[in-house]
Amino acid sequence: MTKRAHFSVVELLAPVAGGLLLAANLASFAAPYGWFLDLFSHFRLQYAMGALLLVVMFWGIGDRRWLWVMLAVCALNTGLVVHSFHGARAPDPVGEADLVLQLNLHVDRTEFRELAAYLNNSEASLVILQEYSETADKALHPLLDAEYPFQI
């Protein structure tokens, strides 16, 4: 039996796509070794779907070796993401909700008494102040000390 002299585009590109998918999948397991590698760990569902597509392609062109590799990649990634979709629900709330207040002070602001009164009466659990200047710190710190003893 003689080999064919020409190959289809699928026969040429499917192994390249399979190799890239396999390399990305392996890189995702090296996430603890660098932030760049961690980026690869966010695409498990896409790896599973891509591997499933490649399984069909390799089955069609008759490349059983790559078919089994992509089937393993598909099964692995499906196993890693299935818990995210099966039976997941948010926990029931316990107690009261926390209030988070975020305000932009505008760096040129110089009067803070009214703002301090508002913050002290807001019952917020966490207050985030943007454009917080040294002037704001000197004025607000003593006014908010009683209600918000933990300030950064």
Side-chain angles (χ1 to χ4, degrees):
M1 184 172 190
T2 60
K3 285 191 171 186
R4 295 184 313 194
H6 62 83
F7 296 97
S8 70
V9 174
V10 173
E11 289 174 312
L12 292 173
L13 293 181
V16 173
L20 290 172
L21 185 80
L22 184 60
N25 192 54
L26 291 174
S28 70
F29 289 105
Y33 300 107
W35 68 267
F36 180 75
L37 296 171
D38 183 53
L39 297 174
F40 290 101
S41 68
H42 298 279
F43 301 101
R44 298 265 180 230
L45 184 62
Q46 289 83 354
Y47 296 153
M49 294 296 102
L52 185 60
L53 176 65
L54 287 168
V55 162
V56 172
M57 292 171 71
F58 287 125
W59 179 71
I61 62 175
D63 191 339
R64 302 292 183 239
R65 187 178 37 190
W66 273 105
L67 182 141
W68 287 108
V69 170
M70 288 300 111
L71 197 57
V73 169
C74 181
L76 173 68
N77 286 290
T78 300
L80 291 171
V81 298
V82 73
H83 67 86
S84 300
F85 298 105
H86 182 64
R89 67 179 192 92
D92 294 330
V94 178
E96 295 181 25
D98 289 326
L99 176 65
V100 176
L101 189 61
Q102 179 177 354
L103 299 169
N104 188 331
L105 298 183
H106 301 289
V107 74
D108 55 348
R109 181 184 204 136
T110 56
E111 179 52 45
F112 297 99
R113 290 195 186 282
E114 188 176 316
L115 174 66
Y118 174 76
L119 293 174
N120 284 327
N121 294 326
S122 69
E123 298 181 10
S125 301
L126 176 65
V127 176
I128 301 167
L129 302 174
Q130 294 174 292
E131 295 189 30
Y132 194 77
S133 64
E134 189 175 327
T135 305
D137 187 50
K138 286 179 184 175
L140 286 175
H141 195 68
L143 297 173
L144 298 177
D145 241 2
E147 190 68 30
Y148 299 100
F150 304 106
Q151 300 177 22
I152 298 175

